[in-house]
Structure formats: structure tokens, C-alpha cells
Amino acid sequence: MTQQTAPTLSAAVFSDETLTAAKVLADDSYRPFWTGQSGEQNTGEAVARHLDATAALLEKSGWSRTMIYTTARTTDLPADDSGMTVKDMVRAVLRLIRDEIEYSPAGRLSLGIALTRVSEGDQGDTDTMSLAGSVLDVVIQAHTGSATARAMPWSERQVRTYQDIVALLRAGARFARTHGPAADDLAEPAAA
């Protein structure tokens, strides 16, 4: 019996033509594309900065295709024994914690979690996170030719690689800088 190996896939390539097609999709959006959930318009540079920071975070923490949330099963927990000493209980708890740390992908983040983490720091907020997701969605829609494609499910496909995710983030940042509004172009908020 011969052993088969999966072919090595290269990182996804997001061409200028893909980004031009993504701009058409953004322009045809049913809502103002660069307006966040706060109701305020954001610059392309702010969204690009969020995407760049996400790539940097994934480089530092590592990428995981999906997040693995493990939970202890009742069979993994020590018996509820009234005869256990406090010392035995502490040992059992420490063993469970050690096992959880050892068998979980410590620090590695999925694309969605990394985008969220950046929104909690000084490189982004919930508006830029939401818009970064929209940018990645139109890039993936243009890349795949599917109007229903979304970046998060695309990033979680089993064939996806870290290089694919970085290429997507870089393409998204390039798109935002090229096609997003500049600070001078932002509409003034309406007076109350």
C-alpha cells in the first residue's frame, strides 16, 4: 500500500484585478461601505492599520485555522471523594490545568479572534474590526467569484495555510489604503 501525501499548496494570490473587482463589490454595497457600526465613517488607513496589526499579532502568537475550545469531561475530573485531602484536591486541579495548557494550542489565534484582539488595543476598535471584516469579505468574494463567500469560513477551510491568511490580510490592507477614504474625505458629522 502506497502512502499518499497532500499536495503542497502555495499561498493564495490576490492580484490587482482581484482588488479592482472587490472595489466594484464595495461600491455596489447596499450600505455605505466605509461607515462602521458606530454610524461614523472610517478612513481606509485606519482599516488598513487594523489589518496590518492583525497580521503582526498572528506572526507573534501563531495562527490556528479554528479555535479549539476544550472542556473537561466529568470522566476527566477526579472523583468527588469526601476522603480527599486538600493537598490531593490541589494536586488534581493543578494536573488538570497543566494538561489543558499542554494539549491546547497555546497562544495561537484564528483570523476572527485576532481581528477582535486588535480591536481591544490601540491599533483598532470595533468599527475598524467590522470594516476590516467587510474588506476581507469583498476581497474573498472577488477572489472566488462567489457573491456569498465570506472571509472567516474561507480562512477556516482545511486547505488554508498561514501564508494564505497573511496574503489575505496584506491584500485587504492594500485594498483599504487604495480604495478607502482619506481623512480629508470624511464627511463631517451632522450637528445636533
Side-chain angles (χ1 to χ4, degrees), residues 123-142:
Q123 295 297 310
D125 54 36
T126 53
D127 258 11
T128 58
M129 176 188 66
S130 172
L131 293 172
S134 295
V135 163
L136 297 178
D137 285 346
V138 295
V139 169
I140 289 299
Q141 289 167 8

Side-chain angles (χ1 to χ4, degrees), residues 56-78:
L57 178 59
L58 288 175
E59 181 179 344
K60 178 182 173 187
S61 297
W63 173 73
S64 178
R65 185 176 57 80
T66 60
M67 288 306 295
I68 301 169
Y69 298 100
T70 58
T71 56
R73 297 178 305 271
T74 55
T75 56
D76 296 336
L77 298 174

Side-chain angles (χ1 to χ4, degrees), residues 31 33-38 40-54 115-136 176:
R31 63 170 177 78
F33 190 79
W34 297 100
T35 300
Q37 294 176 350
S38 69
E40 297 177 13
Q41 194 174 29
N42 290 260
T43 65
E45 181 58 37
V47 175
R49 190 172 46 250
H50 193 114
L51 292 164
D52 289 339
T54 302
L115 284 165
T116 300
R117 293 264 174 92
V118 170
S119 75
E120 298 165 348
D122 61 357
Q123 295 297 310
D125 54 36
T126 53
D127 258 11
T128 58
M129 176 188 66
S130 172
L131 293 172
S134 295
V135 163
L136 297 178

Side-chain angles (χ1 to χ4, degrees), residues 6-190:
T8 304
L9 300 174
S10 60
V13 176
F14 299 96
S15 66
D16 289 339
E17 292 80 17
T18 299
L19 298 186
T20 300
K23 179 178 180 349
V24 171
L25 293 170
D27 289 346
D28 291 345
S29 177
Y30 65 92
R31 63 170 177 78
F33 190 79
W34 297 100
T35 300
Q37 294 176 350
S38 69
E40 297 177 13
Q41 194 174 29
N42 290 260
T43 65
E45 181 58 37
V47 175
R49 190 172 46 250
H50 193 114
L51 292 164
D52 289 339
T54 302
L57 178 59
L58 288 175
E59 181 179 344
K60 178 182 173 187
S61 297
W63 173 73
S64 178
R65 185 176 57 80
T66 60
M67 288 306 295
I68 301 169
Y69 298 100
T70 58
T71 56
R73 297 178 305 271
T74 55
T75 56
D76 296 336
L77 298 174
D80 185 9
D81 183 358
S82 61
M84 284 181 77
T85 66
V86 172
K87 187 175 182 178
D88 292 336
M89 289 181 211
V90 170
R91 275 192 189 134
V93 169
L94 288 174
R95 193 174 313 116
L96 284 171
I97 292 169
R98 193 175 310 117
D99 288 348
E100 183 66 23
I101 291 170
E102 185 176 330
Y103 297 114
S104 66
R108 296 183 340 174
L109 306 171
S110 68
L111 176 58
I113 297 297
L115 284 165
T116 300
R117 293 264 174 92
V118 170
S119 75
E120 298 165 348
D122 61 357
Q123 295 297 310
D125 54 36
T126 53
D127 258 11
T128 58
M129 176 188 66
S130 172
L131 293 172
S134 295
V135 163
L136 297 178
D137 285 346
V138 295
V139 169
I140 289 299
Q141 289 167 8
H143 180 69
T144 63
S146 171
T148 60
R150 296 291 178 262
M152 294 314 135
W154 181 89
S155 74
E156 294 177 357
R157 294 284 309 203
Q158 290 183 350
V159 298
R160 223 48 78 215
T161 65
Y162 169 73
Q163 289 78 16
D164 293 331
I165 304 310
V166 170
L168 173 61
L169 289 166
R170 287 184 181 145
R174 199 166 79 236
F175 174 87
R177 284 190 176 95
T178 304
H179 302 294
D184 297 343
D185 298 337
L186 294 183
E188 291 294 321

